[in-house]
Each structure stands twice: as C-alpha cells, then as structure tokens.
C-alpha cells in the first residue's frame, strides 16, 4: 500500500508537471508582432520630412526638370532676339551716320566758293 500510495503520488505529480499548458511562445509571438505607427507625423516629430529633403524631391521630379529646360530655352530665345535687335539698331545708327556725313560733305562742297580765275574787285 505504501508503494501504491507513493506511486499514485508520483504519477499525480508527473501528470500535473507534464500536462498541456499554454505555451510561453504564444505570448512571445504577440509581443514580437510589429506595432505600426498610424499616428500622423507632424513637422516636429521624428521621421518628418525636412524642408530641404522635400525641396530635393520636388527638384528631382521630371515635371520640374522639364520646366527648367523650358525656361532655359525661353531665356536663350530672348537673348537671341535681343542680340538681333541690337544688331539692327547698330546698322540703323551706322546708316544714319553715313547719311549725315554725306549731307555735311555736300553742304561743305556747296558752300565753298569755286575759284574760276576771274578777279572781282
């Protein structure tokens, strides 16, 4: 009997010790899950995009690059037009100078008396 009682006690201890319990891994899996932050990020919190980085992103966009190319083309066209206008103005000024010089020469040649060799007294 004594053996039977001790055997029952040992078997009860083994049953309780080896009984199926919730594993500790279940809690560990829940804790290991990634918690996603769904809170809006304002400009002062960590992870917010700085003004410089946002500017770089905007500047690298294809739309911005196209607008820069277009602006350069417009500037070049304006520069060419200005150069052409300046050349035309210079040509006009040179023509006017030549005309005025020719008129002065004509006036001076008309105003000078022609010596015919006859003396007048």
């Amino acid at each position: 009997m004594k053996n039977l009682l001790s055997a029952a006690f040992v078997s009860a201890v083994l049953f309780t010790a080896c009984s199926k319990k919730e594993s500790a891994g279940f809690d560990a899996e829940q804790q290991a899950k990634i918690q996603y932050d769904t809170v809006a990020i304002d400009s002062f919190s960590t992870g917010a995009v700085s003004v410089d980085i946002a500017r770089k992103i905007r500047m690298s966009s294809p739309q911005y690059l196209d607008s820069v190319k277009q602006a350069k083309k417009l500037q070049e066209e304006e520069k060419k037009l200005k150069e052409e206008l300046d050349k035309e103005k210079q040509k006009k000024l040179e023509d006017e100078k030549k005309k005025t010089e020719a008129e002065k020469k004509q006036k001076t040649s008309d105003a000078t008396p022609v010596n015919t060799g006859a003396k007048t007294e």
Side-chain angles (χ1 to χ4, degrees):
M1 237 346 154
K2 222 176 190 191
N3 285 337
L4 189 59
L5 206 48
S6 63
F9 178 71
V10 170
S11 61
V13 169
L14 285 175
F15 281 125
T16 57
C18 294
S19 68
K20 190 173 185 178
K21 295 181 182 177
E22 287 187 26
S23 64
F26 183 71
D27 282 337
E29 286 177 19
Q30 281 184 345
Q31 290 175 355
K33 285 185 180 178
I34 298 172
Q35 299 294 325
Y36 292 103
D37 184 18
T38 57
V39 178
I41 298 174
D42 63 1
S43 61
F44 297 107
S45 65
T46 56
V49 178
S50 71
V51 176
D52 296 329
I53 294 172
R55 181 173 173 260
K56 286 180 183 177
I57 291 170
R58 272 187 259 121
M59 289 178 72
S60 66
S61 71
Q63 190 176 25
Y64 178 79
L65 295 175
D66 290 342
S67 67
V68 169
K69 287 178 185 176
Q70 209 170 25
K72 284 183 182 178
K73 285 182 183 178
L74 287 173
Q75 285 178 347
E76 288 175 3
E77 288 177 8
E78 288 177 0
K79 189 176 181 181
K80 287 179 183 177
L81 288 173
K82 285 181 182 178
E83 288 176 358
E84 289 176 5
L85 288 172
D86 288 340
K87 287 180 182 178
E88 288 178 10
K89 285 180 182 179
Q90 287 177 354
K91 285 181 183 178
K92 287 180 182 178
L93 289 173
E94 288 175 7
D95 291 341
E96 288 177 9
K97 285 181 183 179
K98 287 179 183 177
K99 286 181 184 178
T100 55
E101 287 177 9
E103 288 175 1
K104 286 181 183 179
K105 285 181 182 179
Q106 249 183 355
K107 287 181 183 178
T108 56
S109 64
D110 289 340
T112 58
V114 178
N115 230 350
T116 56
K119 291 186 181 179
T120 55
E121 289 186 28

